[in-house]
């Protein structure tokens, strides 16, 4: 979910496992800053709280993952986010961590987020992102659950407690 803590936990996990972290949201926010046709269209889609097309997303993620630093593994944040992305993703995933947070808590967190403010954190876009999550990403959670790859973690705890819970379930020991 937007505001569930994906990037916080993703970065912590990447550090712990010593594998690079890759966030599609960050990639798209960078592209949205470019004064190009693609930059402009991605910006419009993001600010409306909608998803970038599966083909564009898959193309960009696959391009990134060809780089040398990702050959020994990676932590992906915010991807796959649709059933189409999950099914067509060639590199694959081992485990999927779902940080579960209620809609109400998400609205609360994002409406009052003070990390500099994101352009897609308007109340309208936040509501849209929550709606889009349920429509497109709930089925992804179900998909990985059925494949036995899903790790569901309660995201309504302290950052450290959530990290400990994730590491416990991934069976990562020591520092
Ligand atoms: P949040 O989870 O708060 O929405 P992200 O940084 O993960 O933040 O994503 C921000 C925006 O980037 C999304 O609303 C969407 O427009 C776009 N985006 C990110 N990941 C994907 C994806 N896998 N597929 C399509 N669009 C994406």
């Amino acid at each position: 979910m937007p505001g569930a803590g994906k990037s916080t936990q993703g970065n912590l996990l990447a550090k712990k496992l010593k594998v690079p972290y890759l966030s599609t949201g960050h990639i798209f926010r960078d592209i949205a800053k470019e004064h190009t046709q693609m930059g402009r269209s991605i910006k419009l889609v993001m600010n409306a709280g909608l998803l970038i097309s599966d083909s564009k997303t898959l193309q960009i993620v696959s391009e990134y993952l060809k780089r040398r630093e990702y050959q020994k593994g990676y932590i992906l944040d915010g991807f796959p986010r649709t059933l189409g992305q999950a099914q067509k993703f060639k590199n694959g995933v081992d485990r999927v961590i779902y940080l579960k947070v209620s809609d109400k808590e998400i609205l609360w967190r994002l409406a009052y987020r003070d990390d500099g403010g994101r352009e897609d954190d308007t109340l309208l876009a936040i509501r849209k992102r929550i709606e889009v999550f349920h429509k497109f990403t709930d089925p992804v959670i179900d998909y990985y659950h059925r494949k036995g790859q899903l790790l569901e973690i309660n995201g309504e705890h302290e950052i450290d407690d959530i990290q400990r819970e994730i590491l416990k379930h991934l069976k990562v020991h020591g520092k």
Side-chain angles (χ1 to χ4, degrees), residues 2 6 24-25 28-29 46 50 52 78 81 85 118 129:
K6 300 184 296 293
T24 44
F28 289 139
R29 268 189 291 284
M46 289 181 87
L50 301 172
I52 313 304
R81 221 162 166 115
Q85 290 176 13
R118 265 171 48 180
R129 277 149 66 209

Side-chain angles (χ1 to χ4, degrees), residues 1-3 6 23-26 28-29 42 45-46 49-54 57 77-82 85 110 113 118 120-121 129:
M1 275 274 243
K6 300 184 296 293
S23 148
T24 44
H26 290 178
F28 289 139
R29 268 189 291 284
I42 285 192
V45 173
M46 289 181 87
L50 301 172
L51 295 177
I52 313 304
S53 74
D54 281 356
T57 305
D77 166 1
F79 177 91
R81 221 162 166 115
T82 68
Q85 290 176 13
L110 293 185
R113 173 144 85 177
R118 265 171 48 180
D120 59 348
D121 277 347
R129 277 149 66 209

Side-chain angles (χ1 to χ4, degrees), residues 84-108:
Q85 290 176 13
Q87 288 167 339
K88 293 196 196 97
F89 183 47
K90 291 280 175 294
N91 295 72
V93 295
D94 300 319
R95 301 296 297 273
V96 175
I97 302 168
Y98 168 38
L99 295 174
K100 193 170 177 170
V101 179
S102 72
D103 289 13
K104 201 173 149 198
E105 169 73 15
I106 290 298
L107 257 175
W108 203 229

